């Protein structure tokens, strides 16, 4: 972990915290369960049950072809299996979460895995849930790839090969109309909900420490395991705002159906990548070429669009861009 410079209470678009090795996403199943509950919210549980997640009609992948020259790069062991196996922590909508049946993995990372498999000439691309910290150690054995909102960092690239495909920043959301007059450029003394184990939790905590050092009020940083619980508190008036990945905020605002809105600019934008075992150089080349094909042909944008994340698409699938 890199050292952290003094952080001003006013948020800036650049910050050394972006180099932290925390995930862009949380690991709700693996995180501490000590976060606040959603009891006492002014928003009813029945209302929130409609806001948790929604089933999305994904892009029709039937038109995505096998590209023979890319299929030729796929290692024999993967060809024989016919399956590209992805590991993801499926509690982070809209990238990877569970359908309304509570079991089936869905989300744009799930869809992209299937699209990659098609381009690579495989029968299918599958995604199985794994607790976030267990994904990288299982690459090359249990999983071929890890596509689970991994922020690309130099430290992760020491452990894995990473291939960039989207860029995601962080954003704030407040109750509709911003009734608490939350100012995203001066957040000292506010109450902010974050997901456990995220970059955003660490970011806001460090700003809070800077607030106190400068003689201002600390930020009440309120961690939860799932975004729905935070949304309940923001809409109900207990929290001033929530802070999360920009794609998560966009999806949450949509689910809230007019009860939530984004405020301020997207900040701390950073690429996310597919992780592969460092010893799987041949597979990494095939995945990189397949991802670049999806980008060049416009398929990546189409795969992201049903989740409101099309603006996150990158144009170049770089291998280990942080090095």
């Amino acid at each position: 972990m890199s050292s952290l410079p003094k952080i001003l209470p006013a948020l800036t678009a650049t910050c050394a915290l972006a180099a932290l090795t925390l995930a862009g996403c949380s690991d709700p199943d693996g995180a501490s369960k000590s976060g606040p509950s959603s009891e006492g919210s002014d928003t009813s549980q029945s209302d929130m049950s409609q806001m948790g997640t929604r089933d999305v009609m994904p892009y029709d992948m039937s038109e995505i072809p096998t590209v023979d020259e890319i299929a030729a790069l796929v290692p024999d062991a993967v060809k024989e299996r016919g399956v590209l196996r992805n590991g993801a922590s499926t509690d982070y909508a809209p990238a990877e979460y569970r359908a309304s049946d509570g079991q089936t993995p869905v989300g744009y990372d799930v869809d992209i895995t299937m699209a990659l498999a098609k381009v690579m000439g495989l029968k299918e691309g599958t995604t199985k849930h794994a607790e976030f910290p267990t994904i990288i150690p299982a690459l090359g054995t249990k999983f071929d790839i890890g596509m689970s909102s991994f922020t690309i960092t130099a430290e992760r690239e020491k452990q894995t090969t990473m291939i960039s495909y989207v860029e995601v920043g962080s954003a704030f959301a407040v109750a509709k109309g911003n009734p608490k007059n939350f100012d995203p450029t001066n957040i000292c003394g506010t109450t902010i909900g974050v997901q456990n184990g995220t970059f955003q939790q660490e970011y806001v905590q460090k700003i809070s420490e800077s607030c106190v050092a400068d003689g201002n009020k600390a930020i009440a940083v309120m961690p939860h395991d799932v975004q729905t619980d935070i949304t309940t508190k923001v809409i109900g008036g207990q929290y001033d705002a929530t802070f999360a990945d920009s794609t998560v905020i966009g999806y949450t605002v949509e689910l809230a159906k007019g009860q939530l809105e984004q405020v301020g600019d997207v900040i701390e934008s950073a690429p996310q990548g597919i992780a592969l075992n460092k010893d799987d150089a041949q597979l990494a080349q095939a995945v990189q070429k397949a991802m670049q094909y999806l980008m060049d042909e416009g398929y990546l944008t189409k795969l992201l669009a049903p989740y409101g994340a099309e603006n996150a698409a990158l144009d170049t699938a770089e291998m280990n861009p942080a090095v």
Side-chain angles (χ1 to χ4, degrees):
M1 181 177 296
S2 58
S3 60
L4 298 169
K6 180 176 172 60
I7 305 171
L8 296 176
L11 292 175
T12 61
T14 57
C15 173
L17 277 168
L20 284 170
T21 58
L22 295 175
C25 77
S26 66
D27 174 26
D29 286 349
S32 166
K33 301 300 180 183
S34 59
S37 72
S38 57
E39 292 178 4
S41 167
D42 293 337
T43 304
S44 71
Q45 282 296 313
S46 60
D47 288 340
M48 288 310 301
S49 68
Q50 300 301 314
M51 289 173 52
T53 56
R54 64 181 175 87
D55 290 344
V56 172
M57 182 63 69
Y59 173 69
D60 180 5
M61 285 177 262
S62 61
E63 65 181 77
I64 299 178
T66 293
V67 180
D68 291 339
E69 56 267 37
I70 296 175
L73 300 173
V74 177
D76 290 341
V78 179
K79 283 181 183 176
E80 291 170 8
R81 189 192 316 123
V83 178
L84 184 67
R85 305 168 301 172
N86 177 40
S89 179
T90 54
D91 295 286
Y92 204 65
E96 46 270 328
Y97 59 106
R98 294 163 194 167
S100 57
D101 63 10
Q103 299 295 325
T104 305
V106 294
Y108 62 74
D109 279 346
V110 176
D111 296 348
I112 294 169
T113 298
M114 291 188 280
L116 289 170
K118 290 203 68 175
V119 174
M120 294 163 65
L122 302 172
K123 292 184 297 184
E124 60 180 332
T126 62
T127 296
K128 290 188 177 180
H129 172 77
E131 293 185 6
F132 193 78
T134 71
I135 297 171
I136 287 178
L139 294 175
T141 53
K142 184 177 181 181
F143 304 124
D144 301 308
I145 64 173
M147 196 183 300
S148 189
S149 300
F150 281 107
T151 298
I152 298 176
T153 66
E155 182 169 329
R156 284 211 173 100
E157 289 180 357
K158 293 177 182 177
Q159 302 173 291
T160 68
T161 297
M162 301 205 77
I163 299 167
S164 61
Y165 65 108
V166 293
E167 184 159 328
V168 176
S170 299
F172 290 99
V174 298
K176 185 68 174 180
N178 197 7
K180 292 181 175 289
N181 296 314
F182 177 80
D183 179 358
T185 67
N186 186 7
I187 62 177
C188 294
T190 61
T191 301
I192 300 175
V194 294
Q195 282 189 269
N196 270 316
T198 58
F199 163 82
Q200 290 83 14
Q201 181 181 15
E202 184 78 10
Y203 186 99
V204 175
Q205 187 60 54
K206 289 296 181 181
I207 293 177
S208 180
E209 293 169 6
S210 183
C211 289
V212 173
D214 291 343
N216 297 309
K217 290 184 179 180
I219 300 166
V221 183
M222 310 300 286
H224 288 263
D225 293 329
V226 292
Q227 185 67 34
T228 302
D229 291 343
I230 304 168
T231 302
T232 303
K233 295 286 191 178
V234 175
I235 293 173
Q238 290 94 329
Y239 297 171
D240 296 301
T242 177
F243 189 46
D245 277 358
S246 53
T247 50
V248 174
I249 291 297
Y251 182 78
T252 302
V253 167
E254 184 176 349
L255 290 176
K257 297 179 179 178
Q259 299 180 82
L260 205 70
E261 64 182 46
Q262 182 178 326
V263 292
D265 296 329
V266 174
I267 62 171
E268 294 302 321
S269 182
Q272 294 181 351
I274 305 168
L276 296 96
N277 187 291
K278 273 197 168 296
D279 294 332
D280 287 341
Q282 185 178 348
L283 179 60
Q285 185 183 17
V287 171
Q288 181 190 33
K289 297 289 187 184
M291 180 58 75
Q292 189 63 56
Y293 177 83
L294 293 176
M295 291 174 174
D296 292 344
E297 299 301 317
Y299 291 123
L300 179 59
T301 301
K302 293 176 181 178
L303 290 161
L304 293 167
Y307 304 91
E310 61 270 28
N311 291 334
L314 290 173
D315 296 326
T316 304
E318 292 187 78
M319 190 176 291
N320 293 334
V323 171

